[in-house]
Amino acid sequence: MLTKSYAITIGFHQKLNILIGIGTNLPDTVGRAPLEIANAAALSLKSLTSVKQLRLSRWYGSAPIPASDQPAYINGVAWLDADIDAFRLLEEACT
């Protein structure tokens, strides 16, 4: 007995996991502190239309390398679920 087999894909789009490091150690030109700048950077990623979900690590401090008289860095990682690849996400973020 012969049977026919059909494969139909409707509206399938793969989400991609993208990791972005965020870090700063100096105030910006309007005087915002590094932690405030890092939080603003994370929120700006969340506002991108291709980002479907944003998870954020805890912020942590680290000394500059090589050692210097600069203040400690604030560092974290944003984990994005996006429906475009990292290069296209970068283009979207820069426009």
Side-chain angles (χ1 to χ4, degrees):
M1 169 192 232
L2 295 175
T3 59
K4 291 185 181 178
S5 146
Y6 298 93
I8 300 173
T9 303
I10 300 172
F12 174 76
H13 199 85
Q14 180 180 3
K15 283 191 208 174
L16 300 174
N17 294 318
I18 299 170
L19 300 173
I20 298 176
I22 299 172
T24 184
N25 74 330
L26 299 173
D28 66 7
T29 57
V30 294
R32 291 186 303 174
L35 182 57
E36 189 178 352
I37 297 166
N39 278 318
L43 287 175
S44 70
L45 292 171
K46 188 175 182 178
S47 71
L48 298 174
T49 58
S50 59
V51 173
K52 304 307 173 202
Q53 184 176 12
L54 171 74
R55 291 172 292 248
L56 190 61
S57 71
R58 292 183 178 163
W59 298 114
Y60 66 95
S62 64
I65 298 175
S68 71
D69 60 349
Q70 291 189 12
Y73 279 84
I74 298 295
N75 302 287
V77 176
W79 179 333
L80 312 175
D81 289 336
D83 59 7
I84 60 176
D85 65 46
F87 295 108
R88 290 181 32 214
L89 182 71
L90 178 61
E91 287 175 351
E92 181 182 344
C94 292
T95 58

